[in-house]
Amino acid sequence: QVQVVESGGGLVQPGGSLRLSCAASGIIFSGSGMAWYRQAPGKQRELVADITSGGRTNYADSVKGRFTISRDNAKNTAYLQMNSLKPEDTAVYYCKVSWLRHDYWGQGTQVTVSS
């Protein structure tokens, strides 16, 4: 049974920070790719950041310099550190685990950036 569990979302003021966590089980975590996506109401889901099993990272242009994706293989957990948050970052954030050419998704966590 593969499980992907996200946490860390919430309400934050513009300029603030949040750290999202994604804990995975039922896979060989160290051999998996991890990614964060987000989807705002009425908009398409978009890739925010990803990290390979080898630790290589990629970011959407809209978050470069503000967000950092990382992984802790000992904890089977990936993270998304979000700094300098903007209202346009408001969305449901989803974690995706890629293992043996199959993708597994978390339930999503709401991030709201507002005064």
Side-chain angles (χ1 to χ4, degrees), residues 18-37:
L18 285 173
R19 189 177 76 160
L20 306 183
S21 298
C22 174
S25 61
I27 59 165
I28 301 177
F29 184 84
S30 61
S32 302
M34 308 290 293
W36 288 96
Y37 288 76

Side-chain angles (χ1 to χ4, degrees), residues 59-97:
Y59 299 92
D61 287 342
S62 60
V63 307
K64 283 182 179 177
R66 300 189 297 122
F67 291 11
T68 302
I69 188 170
S70 62
R71 63 192 298 155
D72 186 340
N73 289 346
K75 295 183 177 181
N76 285 5
T77 301
Y79 304 95
L80 185 68
Q81 178 66 47
M82 305 185 293
N83 299 327
S84 302
L85 283 161
K86 305 174 180 180
E88 50 262 49
D89 295 319
T90 296
V92 178
Y93 283 70
Y94 297 93
C95 180
K96 185 185 78 173
V97 181

